[in-house]
Every structure is written in structure tokens, then in C-alpha cells.
Amino acid sequence: MAGIDYTERIPNNVNLSENRRLQRALEEWQPRFLEWWKDMGPDGFQAKEAYLRTAVSVDAQGWAKFDYLRMPEYRWGIFLAEPEPGRVIGFGDDKGKPAWPDVPGEYRGVLRRLIVTQGDTEPASVEQQRHLGRTCPSLYDLRNLFQVNVEEGRHLWAMVYLLDAHFGRDGREESEALLQRRSGDRDKPRILGAFNERTPDWLSYYMFCFFTDRDGKYQLASLAESGFDPLSRTCRFMLTEEAHHMFVGETGVGRIVQRTCELMREHKTDDVRKFGGIDLATIQRYINFHCSVSLDLFGSEVSTNAANFYTMGLKGRFEETKKPDDHQLKEATYPVVELDGDRITTREEPALVSLNERLRDDYVADCVRGLTRWNETIKRHGIDVELALPHRGFHRAIGSFAEAKVSPDGRVISEAEWDARRRDWLPTEEDQAFVQSLMRPVVEPGKFAGWIAPPSRGINGKPVDFEYVCLG
Ligand code: BYC
């Protein structure tokens, strides 16, 4: 079961050839996906060979095989983690019953919506990042970008498989619509806010990988708990690939911070812009922006949708199975940080409707771990500055804080104060223009742009100066 049949048009470990109807549906979708990839995938590099990993099986030996290939030749396919024999539903009203191999009729609409929302983010991120290759800070970074992009493409395949296999004609229509919406398009935008923002430069890209891909980790982990077993298995395998995306984000920002600190020390100034570095104040403003739009991705603090997803057994908590409670939460409460007039308070809310907030808490704790590592770098250089996450109410568009203006340190403020201070807190046009001015491609193996430090090691044991993408 673990092996993937690469002789088939669509590599898979789900015995696709035994289901002719499904195979035909996916084979019809495949050329349209490739068309989308050519139109909306990495711009200008489709014919270049990149050193990429491809899964050849879902076990430890096979999920990461590295070789040179051109991106359109990447073998996008359908890979589910191994089934767990005897798996039961871990939470909600159906807790303890056998996990569903098929969609329960009464949950069809809700489940489809969850899968479509997840699926929509994957092509969106490829669209957002499609111009970055032209300004890469090194071949190493270029290769990592492409790795993330092809895997987001595969994650789209993962959701399309579920839609086509389990939702009949509706599912096929949704699969089509996933290729029709476009990030940032006024008429047919992507579903969630953060996926319609621009990713115009590599600082934004690394912030996106750190903050927004991390939402992906937490959402996928919650869906991996699902009682709908095919969703659980597909998300479990997606999580294996997702780890690299967050590595790219954390080390990407970390290397920028490192370089900034080196320049600060060398020139004895905070103002490293004139030396081609990105000052810590600008990095902080980018953190504020990307963190806040990613916090929105968790939905409202108090959400009946979230309660329903849980009670229905469709979407659990992060590490649901490890939680030492009744996994039904009907009597439990959870402390939720909320807006109360012009004050911010913490109130005990019913645990079921607070599940978005709980996941957001898990997420914030994980972000803090990354931030702490960046701050250690700053400290190692003897610099007395700390980067911080903005307060969760800052610059929010979803949930109770959307109604208020909140400063990064968590004060409810007036519109006037917001207008006066906004430029201190969020990237300004000048910041963006400055960061953009640094974005000049560096494509000689082993060389790096002046605003980012080299990584401590290469990919898959290769040296840092390995030719990760052949541009010749
Ligand atoms: N933007 O009760 P509410 C990833 C909508 S990232 C726009 O507050 P709910 C990746 C919501 O849809 C992970 N609309 O929230 C990362 C609802 O609309 P309907 C993606 C929003 O439903 C990087 C209404 O507001 N996966 O994988 O409890 C690269 C009220 O909703 C937003 C998932 O999101 C927003 N930010 O939770 C590549 C998992 N937030 O239904 C990939 C699946 C809320 O009333 N999705 N709305 O029309 C879900 O679990 C839930 O849909 C959400 C929202 C957590 C997103």
C-alpha cells in the first residue's frame, strides 16, 4: 500500500486504476491543472531543472527522493498516509464509532465546504508567489521556493482527490472552481483574506511561510483528527511536507535578522538601510502585518461553525487524541480574549464555540517559539532589541476585534491615534519600496544577496554552493 505506482498517469497509492470513473474524472482534471500551473505557477522557470524532492512512497524511506527535474514534470499525485487499522472517531457526538470511509450524508455540505476552503489556499499561495523567482537572493532560496510551490500544487491534488472521489458531480464542479478563482482577483478572489494579499518580495515571502503556512499546519492537524478517514489520512501526509515550508519561513526570516545584526554591529548603527540591510523596525512592521492577517485565518473567537465541525466529528483540536478530557466538551469552558466595549477582557466561554480561539492559542505559542530563536540571534550580537508578536487584537478583519482599533501592545485606541501611529506599526509604502529595491537576483552558486545571511547548511546534505537550480 505504501508504494506509489509511478507507471500510471497519476501517481497514487489509492488503487486509482480500480476505480475507472474516478480515474477518468482526475485524468480530465489533470491537463487543466497543468494549464493552470503553466499560467499561474512560477513565472519564467518552467523549463529549468531544479533539485527537488518528490514522494515515491509515504513511508520514511520514500517520501523524500531528491533529483533534478523541470517543474511541469513533477509527479503530482495522490498520496494518503497508511490507514490505521480499527481507527475510531476521536471526538464529538460520534466519538468511539468506527471512522467513516465515506462521507456521512448529513455532513456532506459542511465537509465539502471545509475541503474546498482548505484546497483553495494551495493554488492561491502559488499564485501569490509566482513572480518571486525573478528576484531570488540565491539558488538555494530559489530551489526552496520551487519546492514549496510544487508541494502546494500537490496539496491541491490532495483536496481535489477527496472532492472527486467522495462528492460526485458537486465535487467535480468544486475541483474546477479551484482552478478558476485567482488570488487578489476582484471578481473571483480566493476564499480567505490572507490568500488575496500580495507577496511581492522575499521578506514578505518568508513571513508568509512562517505565519501563514503555520496556520496551514494547525488547520491540517485539526483536519487530520477528522472522523472522515480519507481526509484524516491525506492531511497526515500533507503535514509531513508542510514542515519544510515552515523551516523555509523560520530560517528565511532568521537569516535576514542575522544579516541585519551583522551590519548593525559592523557599522555601529540601527540604520542599516544605507548598507543594504533591512532594519529591525521594518522587520517588526512586516511581522505585525503577516501575523495579524494570519490570525484572521482562524475565524471568529466565538463560532458556531467551529462548534458544529467538532460536534459532527469533522474537525478536531490540535493533538485531539492527546487531550485528557471527554472529547465532547459539552460542559467545558475556555478562556477567550475578547473586546468588551473599549476594554479587552478574558471571559470563560463554552469550549465548543471557542475552538477557533483555542487553535489560535496553540498557533500563537508556536509562533513565539520561532520568534524567541530570532531574538536569540539579536541578543548574540549584543543588540538590545526584541522582536515581538503584535497583540491578537491588532489589525484584525475577522472576529470581535474587527470592530476596534487595537495597538500592537494591546490597547484599544481611537481612530485618530490609529491614523497617527499606523505608519509605525504596519509596512509603509516607503518600507515596501525600500525592500523592493533590494530585490535583485543573485544566481551564482554559493552567492547570496547582501540583505540575507547564507544558511548554515544545504539541502539533503548538499553543500550550500551546490547548483540547486540550473539556469544555464
Ligand atoms: N477570510 O465562524 P467563522 C493553508 C468566513 S492555510 C475570509 O468566523 P469558521 C496554507 C468563514 O468562512 C489553512 N473569510 O469561522 C497556508 C465563514 O463563512 P461562511 C487553510 C473568513 O467558519 C499557506 C464566516 O467567515 N485551511 O493550508 O469557524 C500556503 C464566519 O466564519 C475568514 C483551513 O482554513 C477569513 N480569514 O472558521 C498554502 C481549514 N475567516 O461559511 C496553504 C478549513 C472566516 O459563513 N477551514 N471567514 O460563508 C476552516 O476550518 C474554517 O473555514 C475557518 C473559518 C477556520 C477558515
Side-chain angles (χ1 to χ4, degrees):
M1 189 62 176
I4 290 168
D5 188 348
Y6 270 88
T7 61
E8 290 196 42
R9 238 167 92 182
I10 301 172
N12 70 89
N13 69 349
V14 294
N15 295 329
L16 191 57
S17 59
E18 287 170 18
N19 184 342
R20 297 309 300 271
R21 189 199 57 76
L22 176 60
Q23 188 177 32
R24 232 184 357 260
L26 289 168
E27 284 182 358
E28 276 172 26
W29 188 81
Q30 189 177 37
R32 289 199 287 277
F33 167 81
L34 286 171
E35 195 102 322
W36 167 83
W37 178 268
K38 286 202 189 110
D39 289 348
M40 298 312 295
D43 182 27
F45 294 90
Q46 303 279 349
K48 306 295 180 198
E49 293 203 316
Y51 184 69
L52 295 176
R53 77 177 179 197
T54 306
V56 296
S57 72
V58 294
D59 53 24
Q61 289 75 41
W63 77 274
K65 288 281 178 240
F66 288 81
D67 208 348
Y68 279 114
L69 64 126
R70 296 182 182 88
M71 282 181 280
E73 291 159 10
Y74 181 83
R75 301 302 312 275
W76 285 285
I78 300 156
F79 316 129
L80 270 58
E82 289 291 292
E84 275 174 31
R87 179 167 181 261
V88 293
I89 300 165
F91 58 93
D93 285 350
D94 292 308
K95 189 184 88 164
K97 294 186 186 157
W100 302 297
D102 297 302
V103 179
E106 65 273 35
Y107 302 153
R108 198 181 158 84
V110 179
L111 196 47
R112 190 182 80 190
R113 176 87 184 147
L114 275 175
I115 294 170
V116 166
T117 306
Q118 177 62 51
D120 192 68
T121 63
E122 316 290 0
S125 67
V126 175
E127 291 165 1
Q128 288 170 298
Q129 296 162 16
R130 69 182 299 256
H131 297 298
L132 288 172
R134 295 194 182 277
T135 57
C136 64
S138 73
L139 288 183
Y140 165 90
D141 291 281
L142 186 62
R143 176 259 165 223
N144 283 348
L145 169 73
F146 293 161
Q147 184 70 55
V148 170
N149 289 162
V150 291
E151 286 175 355
E152 302 301 10
R154 207 201 68 69
H155 293 179
L156 169 61
W157 270 91
M159 293 301 121
V160 163
Y161 162 72
L162 294 177
L163 290 168
D164 282 16
H166 295 279
F167 294 86
R169 190 208 293 214
D170 295 352
R172 290 196 294 281
E173 283 172 9
E174 293 284 14
S175 301
E176 202 50 49
L178 285 166
L179 296 178
Q180 300 303 326
R181 286 186 288 274
R182 289 284 180 277
S183 174
D185 189 297
R186 202 173 337 158
D187 300 324
K188 41 184 174 83
R190 292 295 175 182
I191 296 171
L192 298 173
F195 295 90
N196 289 303
E197 299 288 348
R198 291 174 63 241
T199 312
D201 57 71
W202 284 76
L203 177 59
S204 304
Y205 171 63
Y206 287 130
M207 293 284 174
F208 181 96
C209 291
F210 183 84
F211 287 108
T212 310
D213 272 283
R214 193 174 309 274
D215 169 52
K217 168 181 164 184
Y218 281 84
Q219 299 294 345
L220 288 174
S222 306
L223 294 172
E225 302 286 345
S226 185
F228 177 46
D229 204 42
L231 176 60
S232 163
R233 288 175 55 202
T234 209
C235 289
R236 265 186 279 147
F237 185 61
M238 287 162 79
L239 279 166
T240 331
E241 293 172 325
E242 200 68 32
H244 175 69
H245 305 187
M246 274 167 300
F247 162 85
V248 169
E250 184 180 327
T251 56
V253 178
R255 289 162 50 212
I256 297 173
V257 168
Q258 160 93 23
R259 182 68 189 134
T260 300
C261 292
E262 288 165 4
L263 289 169
M264 284 171 79
R265 266 239 306 238
E266 191 182 328
H267 299 285
K268 302 196 171 35
T269 175
D270 296 348
D271 182 14
V272 292
R273 285 193 181 191
K274 50 180 172 296
F275 305 107
I278 305 178
D279 49 296
L280 291 176
T282 301
I283 293 174
Q284 179 65 62
R285 285 192 286 276
Y286 275 70
I287 289 175
N288 292 348
F289 176 77
H290 287 271
C291 182
S292 57
V293 297
S294 302
L295 288 174
D296 273 343
L297 291 172
F298 290 83
S300 304
E301 294 81 10
V302 173
S303 163
T304 47
N305 283 352
N308 291 337
F309 299 154
Y310 189 83
T311 307
M312 292 170 176
L314 302 178
K315 181 181 175 191
R317 287 169 293 177
F318 182 65
E319 298 187 330
E320 178 70 44
T321 35
K322 290 191 193 161
K323 303 264 190 270
D325 55 29
D326 70 356
H327 303 279
Q328 290 188 318
L329 307 179
K330 295 210 194 281
E331 308 301 329
T333 60
Y334 188 79
V336 175
V337 180
E338 283 170 337
L339 189 67
D340 180 10
D342 58 2
R343 287 183 331 123
I344 294 173
T345 55
T346 303
R347 239 197 331 249
E348 287 292 323
E349 295 282 358
L352 278 175
V353 290
S354 312
L355 287 165
N356 285 344
E357 191 62 5
R358 186 175 200 137
L359 195 60
R360 192 165 14 239
D361 285 343
D362 292 330
Y363 166 85
V364 169
D366 201 18
C367 289
V368 167
R369 284 191 279 275
L371 224 82
T372 304
R373 283 189 280 270
W374 300 337
N375 281 330
E376 277 162 10
T377 300
I378 300 176
K379 218 166 172 185
R380 254 201 321 275
H381 285 80
I383 296 167
D384 189 20
V385 176
E386 272 196 15
L387 297 170
L389 295 181
H391 185 273
R392 71 181 62 214
F394 172 76
H395 187 239
R396 292 286 303 281
I398 300 280
S400 78
F401 291 109
E403 297 154 23
K405 294 282 182 259
V406 177
S407 62
D409 61 359
R411 285 175 302 116
V412 181
I413 56 172
S414 65
E415 287 278 346
E417 186 175 354
W418 173 265
D419 290 342
R421 298 296 308 278
R422 163 188 185 115
R423 292 174 53 82
D424 297 334
W425 296 335
L426 287 167
T428 63
E429 276 147 36
E430 291 80 38
D431 291 338
Q432 288 165 20
F434 171 70
V435 172
Q436 199 64 54
S437 76
L438 296 177
M439 298 295 124
R440 276 171 258 125
V442 176
V443 294
E444 203 182 313
K447 291 274 184 304
F448 289 81
W451 49 269
I452 188 165
S456 53
R457 65 181 75 86
I459 293 292
N460 192 34
K462 298 284 183 222
V464 168
D465 63 2
F466 183 70
E467 194 171 8
Y468 286 104
V469 185
C470 304
L471 297 178

